[in-house]
Amino acid sequence: MMEKDILLRAYRLMSQVKAMAETYEENKSICKYVHSTSRGHEAIQLATAFQLKPYDFVSPYYRDESLILGLGFTPYQQMLQLLAKGDDIFTGGREYYSHPNYRGADKPTIIHQSSATGMQAIPTTGVAQGVQYLEKYLSDKLKVGENGELPIVICSLGDASITEGEISEALQFAVLKQLPIIYLVQDNNWGISVTSKEARVANAFEYAAGFKGLGRVQVDGSDFEASYKTMEEVITYVRSERKPFLVQAYVPLLGHHTSGVRKEYYRDDEDWKKHLANDPAPKLRNKLLQLNITEDELLQIEQEAASYIATEFAKAVAAAEPDISTVSDYVFAPTNIKDEVGERSPVNADKVIMVDAALFAIRELMEEHLEVVLYGQDVGKRLGGVFREAATLGEQFGEHRVFNTAIQEAYVVGSCVGMSAMGLKPIVEVQFADYIYPAFNQLVTEVSKSCYLTCGKFPVSMILRVPIGAYGGGGPYHSGSVETTLLSIKGIKVAYPSNAADMKGLMKAAYHDPNPVVMLEHKGLYWSKVPGTEDAKTIEPANDYILPFGKANIVVKASTDKIRNGETCVVITYGMGVYWAKAAAKKFTENIEVIDLRTLFPLDEELIFERVKAHGKCLVLTEEQQNNSFAESLAGRISKHCFQWLDAPVDVLGALNLPAVPMNMGLEQAMLPNAEKLSERLRKLLNG
């Protein structure tokens, strides 16, 4: 029989949760931000929380206030988030109720929690992936129990999220790698107004049967004793056996979906009564009465809870609002890489092509830092990447550090959140820029927001390699440019090197940067096989060479006299555009200056504005389709900041505004800019 003190603790917290829900409902005008409560879900949540240790990891979802209370956070701490107050310990007023994150010695670690349904499954599986890696290869860096007990990871989910494709990616990886993670699915039969019959052909338990090697169990999540026993057994199993498990807990929904989507909008009385009959609190109350806890004792618990919550709520209402001057804090974690250091062109060093410069940079990083792991489609030792960009790394470092993944762009990117939280440095790859879109859910929802919404506790330190660009008939799904789409995401950095030395220096800077970095690597520059791109091959920089982000480079200079006489133009470009611009510049007599941006965010605005002011004429060159592009946006920024120095409107040259790059090489060339098209545009600009 379960100890009374555990049952009483659970009942006290259930009483607090009930009082919290009632308080929020009675104070709608004060509780103005959208929120959900855990009413109906309390038993399974508390049963889970009570058994977690400070060295464990848990990802609650937006209805998990009882789980958060069970971990030891106070109602006041939760209410500060409910009311978006400045002292909210989780996000400083930036995030919704029941969206915690936590890094401390006294409670389980909680990574950034988003509201996107089911999106936490991949980052949390990434945590388990990181736990397994540390356990096997860097055990001194893994936090364990006093007697060496190993951590487990819990990912809490609502049943409606199970139909999300990204849940499948998470489960596939967890089972394939046999990770120590528990997926706790709280099934209340509703996905806002959609019932389970409308939405799915199988419940979570039935769905889990398709993943061989995934343990599974069902439990009445409204029964605290049954929930506690089940979670105790599952947690004990996963802690010792290091294998994944799914728990489906049936629970009633006793509140609104959210404060903004109220139950009376879509639920009838019959459904409501059915759910109310399974309220966990009365069930536990009856059990306590059977154990000779008196009615007076239970009434006292309930009264104390109501009084306590009233006091906590009053304190939270009186708490200060966030200081609005902090609104831009924590977009990025600080980086120490400010200046160019090391030898860029060592004496007697050989020239290398761009693809090898990246390869050598990663090799040096992996030799020096055991925290670096490299994974993605086809990067393992059998192929070493479809562009041979990871060739030999699998053989040198082993399959635990360099390995293939399935076609799971979302998992590849989103798992970096969890891996980074574990202190690892994932370098991952999407095979072609055109295939980055399945990863956008994770890149936007989880990766880019993590640092900001955790007040800097969980920046995502990762490198995402993306082969990009068109040449030689790659066709509509292997030739696209995606920089504008990426640059619309705030909270990531974007590099676009045009030569081997920059590639190596920026890759090293990306490693030392604690933030997410996307490396756009032009396929046409990898081997310098495209005519006119021979300069992409450079002397290989030394191991210690680091090129900071946000530092553009003048690669072609104009005559000082011609600048003084107003006879020049500056071309601002990047990637393949550098070589079109250099070729075009040769057709003029020191009239053209070319700036290679090298990184698109952060952007070297200081150099850009300085050189535009010096020349008075400017053209922004891009391989992307021109309309609504980064290049046009930059042109607008230049016009605003340099207006009084301009002798002509800022010009832009990009690809034709077509939905895709055509396969036929003649059509491809007709779409793309080139040196000839650029030369013609420059003549018009120079001649006014």
Side-chain angles (χ1 to χ4, degrees):
M1 184 176 294
M2 188 174 296
E3 296 176 14
K4 284 184 184 179
D5 60 343
I6 296 176
L7 298 174
L8 285 168
R9 181 186 173 200
Y11 192 68
R12 286 190 186 95
L13 291 178
M14 284 188 190
S15 299
Q16 290 178 19
V17 168
K18 184 173 184 289
M20 288 161 73
E22 291 170 349
T23 300
Y24 303 161
E25 186 70 10
E26 291 164 3
N27 293 273
K28 292 176 192 172
S29 61
I30 296 173
C31 304
K32 57 189 176 184
Y33 301 109
V34 66
H35 58 272
S36 298
T37 74
S38 60
R39 286 290 287 120
H41 293 229
E42 301 98 322
I44 185 63
Q45 290 182 20
L46 293 172
T48 301
F50 286 2
Q51 297 177 75
L52 293 180
K53 307 298 182 183
Y55 48 88
D56 288 329
F57 301 82
V58 60
S59 288
Y61 86 116
Y62 59 78
R63 201 177 296 285
D64 276 355
E65 67 182 353
S66 291
L67 192 154
I68 299 165
L69 280 179
L71 294 174
F73 295 100
T74 67
Y76 176 68
Q77 288 172 323
Q78 294 209 64
M79 291 170 184
L80 290 175
Q81 189 171 53
L82 171 82
L83 302 174
K85 296 291 188 170
D87 288 337
D88 162 27
I89 65 166
F90 304 124
T91 69
R94 290 168 164 84
E95 181 64 288
Y96 305 97
Y97 184 55
S98 288
H99 286 65
N101 62 81
Y102 189 74
R103 190 191 285 277
D106 61 329
K107 296 180 182 68
T109 299
I110 307 172
I111 61 171
H112 161 245
Q113 302 304 302
S114 77
S115 277
T117 303
M119 293 303 100
Q120 74 272 32
I122 286 177
T124 310
T125 306
V127 171
Q129 182 184 347
V131 166
Q132 185 185 75
Y133 184 85
L134 294 183
E135 182 185 336
K136 290 184 176 181
Y137 307 109
L138 291 171
S139 58
D140 60 315
K141 296 183 180 295
L142 183 65
K143 187 166 68 171
V144 298
E146 291 182 1
N147 298 312
E149 300 94 340
L150 293 169
I152 57 103
V153 181
I154 290 189
C155 180
S156 180
L157 301 157
D159 57 294
S161 68
I162 295 300
T163 56
E164 286 274 7
E166 293 187 15
I167 301 296
S168 172
E169 292 193 24
L171 295 176
Q172 287 276 3
F173 196 91
V175 175
L176 181 67
K177 302 295 183 179
Q178 288 292 283
L179 302 180
I181 184 169
I182 299 165
Y183 300 94
L184 172 60
V185 181
Q186 299 174 56
D187 190 344
N188 62 31
N189 194 53
W190 285 102
I192 308 184
S193 68
V194 180
T195 66
S196 58
K197 290 181 180 178
E198 295 174 90
R200 65 194 190 203
V201 297
N203 63 34
F205 179 79
E206 294 162 340
Y207 184 58
F211 297 88
K212 296 179 181 178
L214 177 64
R216 60 189 182 123
V217 68
Q218 293 174 299
V219 65
D220 179 356
S222 69
D223 183 326
F224 178 78
E225 281 191 293
S227 296
Y228 191 94
K229 181 181 178 183
T230 297
M231 292 309 299
E232 182 178 45
E233 291 173 352
V234 172
I235 287 172
T236 299
Y237 173 82
V238 175
R239 200 179 296 286
S240 62
E241 299 301 318
R242 321 305 290 157
K243 294 179 179 180
F245 221 98
L246 182 141
V247 178
Q248 183 197 17
Y250 288 106
V251 290
L253 179 60
L254 300 183
H256 310 291
H257 169 68
T258 67
S259 57
V261 184
R262 299 176 63 80
K263 62 179 182 290
E264 54 264 27
Y265 296 170
Y266 61 93
R267 296 175 69 181
D268 58 32
D269 290 341
E270 184 180 345
D271 175 78
W272 176 247
K273 289 176 183 176
K274 207 178 292 183
H275 282 251
L276 197 60
N278 280 313
D279 187 338
K283 285 186 176 182
L284 181 54
R285 197 180 197 278
N286 290 334
K287 179 66 179 178
L288 288 167
L289 288 170
Q290 293 170 19
L291 295 174
N292 298 320
I293 304 297
T294 67
E295 178 71 20
D296 287 345
E297 288 176 293
L298 294 176
L299 285 172
Q300 184 177 353
I301 288 173
E302 293 158 12
Q303 291 164 3
E304 286 174 352
S307 176
Y308 174 52
I309 294 306
T311 302
E312 295 280 274
F313 186 70
K315 280 170 49 186
V317 171
E321 297 291 313
D323 179 351
I324 61 172
S325 68
T326 66
V327 68
S328 296
D329 291 353
Y330 306 114
V331 176
F332 292 107
T335 177
N336 295 324
I337 306 302
K338 307 289 186 184
D339 302 305
E340 188 172 0
V341 297
E343 291 187 82
R344 181 178 174 92
S345 301
V347 178
N348 299 325
D350 295 329
K351 281 191 171 185
V352 293
I353 55 178
M354 270 185 65
V355 71
D356 284 348
L359 173 67
F360 299 159
I362 293 171
R363 176 185 294 159
E364 290 167 0
L365 289 168
M366 296 191 78
E367 287 172 339
E368 190 174 349
H369 305 283
L370 293 177
E371 295 82 9
V372 180
V373 292
L374 172 68
Y375 55 97
Q377 296 168 33
D378 296 302
V379 302
K381 66 180 182 180
R382 190 176 297 113
L383 183 60
V386 294
F387 299 103
R388 303 294 288 159
E389 72 279 7
T392 73
L393 296 179
E395 291 92 334
Q396 181 173 351
F397 297 105
E399 292 183 355
H400 65 292
R401 294 188 68 192
V402 180
F403 58 89
N404 292 325
T405 65
I407 303 172
Q408 294 181 330
E409 289 86 357
Y411 187 86
V412 167
V413 171
S415 61
C416 294
V417 177
M419 292 285 276
S420 175
M422 295 305 300
L424 300 173
K425 182 75 177 195
I427 301 176
V428 297
E429 181 179 313
V430 172
Q431 276 190 350
F432 294 92
D434 308 79
Y435 299 152
I436 199 171
Y437 298 105
F440 258 65
N441 261 351
Q442 292 295 322
L443 194 60
V444 175
T445 305
E446 308 297 334
V447 173
S448 71
K449 293 178 172 62
S450 184
C451 187
Y452 184 69
L453 293 180
T454 64
C455 295
K457 292 192 287 294
F458 290 99
V460 181
S461 186
M462 63 173 285
I463 301 172
L464 171 58
R465 299 184 67 187
V466 182
I468 192 171
Y471 80 101
Y477 294 103
H478 298 80
S479 307
S481 292
V482 297
E483 55 264 35
T484 295
T485 310
L486 285 167
L487 291 165
S488 71
I489 306 170
K490 314 311 172 190
I492 64 172
K493 298 184 179 183
V494 180
Y496 203 141
S498 69
N499 61 71
D502 288 354
M503 172 72 88
K504 187 170 184 182
L506 290 170
M507 190 70 77
K508 292 294 183 77
Y511 170 79
H512 292 288
D513 198 309
N515 300 289
V517 172
V518 179
M519 295 287 295
L520 299 177
E521 306 173 12
H522 200 291
K523 307 187 305 292
L525 301 179
Y526 265 159
W527 299 286
S528 292
K529 288 182 178 180
V530 175
T533 63
E534 294 79 10
D535 288 349
K537 187 177 181 180
T538 70
I539 294 291
E540 183 189 358
N543 190 323
D544 64 349
Y545 179 64
I546 302 177
L547 178 62
F549 279 46
K551 300 292 184 184
N553 187 32
I554 300 174
V555 295
V556 175
K557 294 183 178 180
S559 159
T560 303
D561 289 340
K562 291 190 175 185
I563 294 174
R564 190 181 300 116
N565 294 334
E567 301 172 2
T568 60
C569 172
V570 59
V571 177
I572 299 168
T573 189
Y574 54 94
M576 186 63 80
V578 171
Y579 298 94
W580 295 328
K582 289 171 78 169
K586 292 176 182 177
K587 300 184 180 184
F588 299 84
T589 310
E590 298 185 316
N591 298 91
I592 306 300
E593 182 173 294
V594 179
I595 293 178
D596 179 358
L597 293 176
R598 303 202 284 201
T599 64
L600 308 185
F601 192 89
L603 186 65
D604 192 349
E605 291 185 345
E606 182 180 352
L607 180 65
I608 292 168
F609 297 158
E610 173 197 312
R611 300 316 299 160
V612 171
K613 290 174 183 178
H615 291 273
K617 295 185 179 73
C618 172
L619 184 146
V620 183
L621 174 64
T622 179
E623 183 175 324
E624 272 196 301
Q625 292 91 326
Q626 183 173 324
N627 278 13
N628 304 315
S629 64
F630 159 70
E632 285 196 334
S633 173
L634 178 55
R637 212 177 315 169
I638 292 169
S639 296
K640 178 180 178 180
H641 287 273
C642 305
F643 181 76
Q644 68 189 81
W645 288 272
L646 290 171
D647 299 323
V650 178
D651 203 359
V652 180
L653 177 61
L656 299 180
N657 298 298
L658 306 176
V661 180
M663 177 75 79
N664 177 273
M665 284 188 277
L667 295 176
E668 178 187 73
Q669 287 302 309
M671 176 189 182
L672 297 176
N674 57 35
E676 290 71 27
K677 295 176 186 178
L678 176 60
S679 298
E680 182 181 345
R681 189 72 68 85
L682 289 173
R683 284 191 189 94
K684 291 179 181 178
L685 190 57
L686 287 169
N687 294 332

